[in-house]
Amino acid sequence: MNFGPNERPKTCPPLTDRLTALRTQLAAQNLDGFVIPLTDEHMSEYVGGYAQRLGWLTGFGGSAGTAVVLADRAAIFTDGRYTIQVREQVDGAQWDYEPVPQTSPAAWLGKHAPEGGRIGYDPWLHTGTWVAEATTALAERGATLVAVDANPIDAIWTDRPAPSPAKLTVQPDEFTGASSAEKRAKIADWLSEQNADAVILSALDSIAWALNVRGGDVDHTPVALSYAIVGADGTTDLFVAPDKLDDAVRQHLGNAVRLHDRTVFAAALGTYAGKRVAADPERAVAAITQALQAGGAKILPLRDPVVLAKAIKNPVEISGHRAASARDGAALARFLRWVESECVKGGQTELSAAAKLLAFREQTGVLKDTSFDTISATGPHGAIPHYHVTEESSAPIEPGQLYLIDSGGQYADGTTDVTRVMPIGEPTEEMRDRFTRVLKGHIGIATAVFPDGTMGGQIDAFARRPLWKAGLDFAHGTGHGIGAYLAVHEGPQRIAAPNYPGGAAMEPLRAGMMLSNEPGYYKAGEYGIRIENLILIEPRTIPGADRAMLGFETLTFCPIERTLIEPTLLTTEERQWVDDYHVKVLAVLAPEMTDAEDRAWLIAKCAPLR
């Protein structure tokens, strides 16, 4: 288990030679292949620079993907969000592009691994479920899956960044709504119900939530590299680098949280002989369960108890999000006014626009970070759902284009995520048609009423129906959960169909959960459209109903560009929704808009549709 760079040669091979260098290293380790996922030891979606092995090897800049390297061929696996991006960033002469979920690394290995071959994997980067799946697939070829003690990528990645030295900070109860002691007591109650002695918390946001701490080890996500083991009495062992702790954090954690160096975590797992230990099969990597088994523990494959508790926001967290959303919406509105007035003049680029939005957010005086890399995309780049602008890719924003901005802020009281689209000059009739169909789908979700216990996958089609009627669709989920000054993508709730990233959204929707509502449309090579607000699940009272019902309250307030709306495509009810939404936008944002010209612009944008 490597937490920092090892001794290596002083020079790193250029991108075009890294695949060759890896194959040489694999041969030295007596391996015929290796699997490289985009994750870390905590199964995180967003990872620190030290764990960006997939990007370093392939050049791929997306947030989800896996590569498999054999002696004679290599493949990179991405879902529909990255169909265009992976082809722009990864050399097709060296790599095969494989679509997910149509195939998977394990299934591909079952077809292409050499007979009797040894395929390596890093047990700190895969779950036990994946190991079992890959082992079964390889058996068809008489091949074996081999856990490596040292990741071969690390041996050739000579300028690999060290893990962040950022210190932990205390997240005050005024923002969390519950003390760490209260949260750990509930975890202890859950352990009692499961007749378990301890639970492993390996997901970074679970640890941050349970202990009311935050960190700076992952860009845009305020978490710290650590592990925790919570016992049946609520006492906790926290494994974290000692230099990340200061007196304030130590005092906050108190005597009920025992502190250990992160490097001794693996050894500690071997001390639970005869104990019943819960470990989440989706979040605990194979190395954790393997160490527990070797130490004689009885593993209970149960979901991390923090996952659901964290997803259902308490009144304090909801109130904090409202405050964060208001200031963030005002910053975005000021930015959209700037886009409208300045970008049509020329001279602006995707990077300069992203920097301008950041400046507006920083003017709030309380911005901690952006909640993800801002998607600042004009023209064809807008058709790449998870486009990441760089110095090399940054395009000029020009008349005749649609400009898409998907962004968010991290504030101590909440995490935001919002997408808007602005026309640069006059939009075409097709752009207006597509935008309005996306808006109709957005309204379909926003106004949905459904029985308590409904799965997110059951309402996903509400967002797609207006597009389907025109023979159109979008290749990503419609909604994801969101954290409270934590991860911008948070489970277990989501709105998605089985054939889109994340698979079927089979978690019952519950009051207090927050989700995004973000249908879209993407015309390859021309433009992209997405309208995203955050929404809160709340009870709905319906006269005569014979069961408990739920619905959504919209939490994000920022004008939806009226020049892109074709009113004749909207029903009377949909037009009313737009007008009512803009009334709320004006009420929420006007107090935040101290500049008279900003306020006048906002009033005009929030006028009723005609």
Side-chain angles (χ1 to χ4, degrees):
M1 182 177 184
N2 296 321
F3 296 121
N6 300 321
E7 290 297 324
R8 304 179 181 92
K10 293 185 179 180
T11 58
C12 241
L15 184 62
T16 54
D17 296 336
R18 290 173 190 177
L19 191 55
T20 300
L22 177 58
R23 285 176 169 139
T24 300
Q25 182 63 32
L26 293 180
Q29 293 183 220
N30 193 27
L31 295 172
D32 300 296
F34 191 68
V35 184
I36 308 99
L38 203 174
T39 191
D40 60 12
E41 304 93 332
H42 309 273
M43 297 306 297
S44 305
E45 177 183 14
Y46 296 109
V47 302
Y50 81 98
Q52 292 280 357
R53 296 178 179 90
L54 182 68
W56 179 85
L57 178 67
T58 68
F60 178 60
S63 61
T66 300
V68 179
V69 175
L70 302 177
D72 59 348
R73 66 189 306 173
I76 184 166
F77 299 78
T78 57
D79 60 53
R81 295 170 294 176
Y82 305 105
T83 300
I84 299 173
Q85 182 176 347
V86 71
R87 285 162 173 77
E88 289 187 347
Q89 296 178 331
V90 180
D91 185 0
Q94 292 188 311
W95 297 89
D96 296 335
Y97 308 121
E98 296 292 338
V100 175
Q102 293 89 332
T103 187
S104 70
W108 189 87
L109 281 167
K111 295 179 180 178
H112 301 293
E115 292 284 348
R118 289 166 46 86
I119 306 301
Y121 78 102
D122 187 335
W124 288 98
L125 302 178
H126 298 272
T127 64
T129 301
W130 181 88
V131 170
E133 178 188 1
T135 299
T136 299
L138 286 169
E140 297 294 321
R141 308 281 297 177
T144 56
L145 193 64
V146 180
V148 299
D149 294 325
N151 194 305
I153 297 285
D154 300 349
I156 60 174
W157 188 1
T158 57
D159 57 352
R160 180 184 172 211
S164 162
K167 290 185 178 297
L168 275 74
T169 59
V170 176
Q171 179 70 346
D173 293 357
E174 66 180 284
F175 296 131
T176 66
S179 70
S180 174
E182 291 172 311
K183 293 177 178 181
R184 287 183 281 109
K186 290 184 178 180
I187 295 173
D189 290 342
W190 177 85
L191 285 168
S192 178
E193 293 171 1
Q194 305 300 328
N195 190 25
D197 298 295
V199 59
I200 308 296
L201 300 184
S202 56
L204 300 180
D205 56 345
S206 288
I207 298 165
W209 184 90
L211 299 181
N212 283 351
V213 293
R214 297 296 187 266
D217 290 350
V218 178
D219 288 347
H220 313 300
T221 307
V223 293
L225 294 173
S226 56
Y227 296 96
I229 304 176
V230 182
D233 60 355
T235 61
T236 299
D237 292 285
L238 176 64
F239 300 82
V240 63
D243 58 4
K244 289 183 173 294
L245 301 166
D246 61 19
D247 290 343
V249 171
R250 291 176 186 272
Q251 182 177 359
H252 162 74
L253 293 173
N255 295 332
V257 179
R258 296 175 290 269
L259 300 172
H260 313 271
D261 195 305
R262 184 169 179 253
T263 58
V264 305
F265 173 66
L269 295 172
T271 65
Y272 284 84
K275 302 293 186 181
R276 292 167 57 84
V277 181
D280 191 327
E282 291 185 21
R283 294 167 179 83
V285 295
I288 292 176
T289 53
Q290 290 167 1
L292 287 169
Q293 287 172 334
K298 166 67 175 176
I299 299 174
L300 306 180
L302 301 171
R303 185 164 72 182
D304 171 352
V306 171
V307 169
L308 186 58
K310 175 165 53 65
I312 299 175
K313 305 298 186 279
N314 62 42
V316 171
E317 291 170 321
I318 293 170
S319 176
H321 181 86
R322 293 189 200 282
S325 185
R327 80 174 70 93
D328 194 72
L332 180 59
R334 294 186 188 100
F335 169 74
L336 295 180
R337 180 187 169 218
W338 175 86
V339 170
E340 184 176 78
S341 64
E342 296 299 319
C343 289
V344 73
K345 300 175 184 176
Q348 301 297 333
T349 67
E350 293 169 335
L351 274 180
S352 69
K356 189 69 176 180
L357 176 54
L358 178 60
F360 280 117
R361 282 196 167 105
E362 288 175 333
Q363 287 173 14
T364 66
V366 291
L367 180 72
K368 299 283 190 178
D369 194 358
T370 54
S371 56
F372 56 96
D373 284 324
T374 296
I375 300 174
S376 175
T378 191
H381 286 161
I384 305 172
H386 278 207
Y387 170 70
H388 174 57
V389 60
T390 65
E391 290 283 355
E392 294 74 26
S393 71
S394 182
I397 299 174
E398 299 175 333
Q401 296 177 337
L402 291 184
Y403 173 67
L404 183 151
I405 184 77
D406 184 350
S407 66
Q410 289 283 15
Y411 305 92
D413 50 0
T415 299
T416 67
D417 183 4
V418 52
T419 308
R420 289 295 184 266
V421 177
M422 292 291 286
I424 309 303
E426 188 69 24
T428 66
E429 290 187 12
E430 179 187 280
M431 291 173 177
R432 287 164 53 85
D433 175 275
R434 302 305 190 253
F435 184 90
T436 308
R437 292 181 186 277
V438 171
L439 175 60
K440 287 167 72 71
H442 181 95
I443 296 170
I445 294 294
T447 59
V449 179
F450 46 90
D452 192 354
T454 296
M455 314 291 185
Q458 291 176 268
I459 64 172
D460 180 76
F462 293 8
R464 300 178 189 275
R465 187 167 182 254
L467 288 163
W468 285 350
K469 289 183 70 174
L472 310 169
D473 202 357
F474 55 96
H476 58 73
T478 300
H480 58 80
I482 192 161
Y485 186 39
L486 275 173
V488 72
H489 291 165
E490 179 180 272
Q493 74 277 20
R494 61 186 183 274
I495 303 173
N499 57 325
Y500 291 106
M506 299 306 292
E507 181 70 27
L509 300 180
R510 298 172 171 89
M513 289 178 167
M514 290 183 186
L515 291 148
S516 65
N517 173 10
E518 51 179 309
Y521 172 71
Y522 310 92
K523 187 172 184 180
E526 295 195 29
Y527 60 84
I529 295 166
R530 187 161 61 251
I531 303 172
E532 178 183 16
N533 287 338
L534 298 182
I535 50 180
L536 171 70
I537 303 175
E538 60 180 5
R540 280 281 188 272
T541 300
I542 299 178
D546 62 1
R547 66 198 64 196
M549 301 295 290
L550 300 173
F552 295 117
E553 175 193 350
T554 295
L555 297 171
T556 302
F557 294 103
C558 190
I560 296 172
E561 178 52 37
R562 57 192 299 110
T563 63
L564 284 170
I565 299 173
E566 176 47 65
T568 61
L569 290 178
L570 299 177
T571 65
T572 300
E573 292 78 10
E574 289 167 342
R575 289 179 61 141
Q576 190 62 54
W577 183 92
V578 174
D579 288 345
D580 290 347
Y581 174 73
H582 280 140
V583 168
K584 294 176 184 176
V585 169
L586 190 58
V588 171
L589 298 193
E592 305 277 340
M593 308 287 272
T594 56
D595 180 85
E597 292 184 357
D598 284 343
R599 189 183 293 242
W601 179 88
L602 180 68
I603 291 171
K605 289 295 180 182
C606 292
L609 293 176
R610 302 186 188 282

